[in-house]
């Protein structure tokens, strides 16, 4: 099971990183906080102090097409906010 799917790189997540040394990731919906902590520590080599998880609900989307009115939903996903030790950073853009 791949626990960490991808980092969330939004303005809101960037503010958390700059001010509070927190990083946001999309994670597997079945993963728990302990598994997420171990995966981040192993993948990035940092010390994780806290893990907060959120299940983000999908939004309803509507659009008008040639075939008529189409409605659907975006999928729900689980988001993890990781707090790491002061002085440590995670570099998403380095080549591995």
């Amino acid at each position: 099971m791949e626990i960490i799917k991808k980092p969330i790189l939004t303005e809101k997540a960037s503010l958390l990183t700059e001010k509070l040394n927190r990083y946001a990731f999309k994670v597997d919906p079945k993963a728990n906080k302990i598994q997420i902590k171990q995966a981040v520590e192993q993948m990035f080599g940092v010390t994780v102090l806290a893990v907060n998880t959120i299940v983000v609900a999908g939004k309803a989307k509507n659009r008008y097409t040639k075939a008529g009115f189409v409605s659907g939903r975006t999928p729900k996903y689980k988001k993890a906010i990781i707090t790491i030790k002061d002085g440590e950073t995670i570099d998403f853009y380095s080549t591995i």
Side-chain angles (χ1 to χ4, degrees), residues 2-93:
E2 185 178 321
I3 294 174
I4 298 175
K5 294 187 177 183
K6 66 180 184 177
I8 298 174
L9 303 172
T10 59
E11 282 187 48
K12 194 171 187 180
S14 296
L15 285 174
L16 280 175
T17 300
E18 292 168 9
K19 294 185 178 186
L20 301 171
N21 211 22
R22 292 180 174 187
Y23 293 85
F25 295 95
K26 277 190 181 180
V27 295
D28 189 279
K30 295 178 183 173
N32 61 32
K33 291 182 180 186
I34 297 166
Q35 292 171 328
I36 294 167
K37 178 180 178 178
Q38 291 170 348
V40 170
E41 287 178 342
Q42 181 184 9
M43 186 177 286
F44 298 107
V46 295
T47 306
V48 175
L49 299 179
V51 178
N52 300 92
T53 57
I54 307 147
V55 176
V56 179
K59 295 195 293 189
K61 296 279 189 169
N62 298 314
R63 70 174 180 260
Y64 187 75
T65 63
K66 208 170 15 172
F69 198 67
V70 178
S71 63
R73 293 191 69 81
T74 59
K76 70 177 184 175
Y77 63 93
K78 190 171 195 175
K79 178 165 61 171
I81 308 293
I82 311 294
T83 306
I84 63 172
K85 191 175 173 183
D86 285 338
E88 295 183 349
T89 59
I90 296 175
D91 186 14
F92 297 123
Y93 302 109

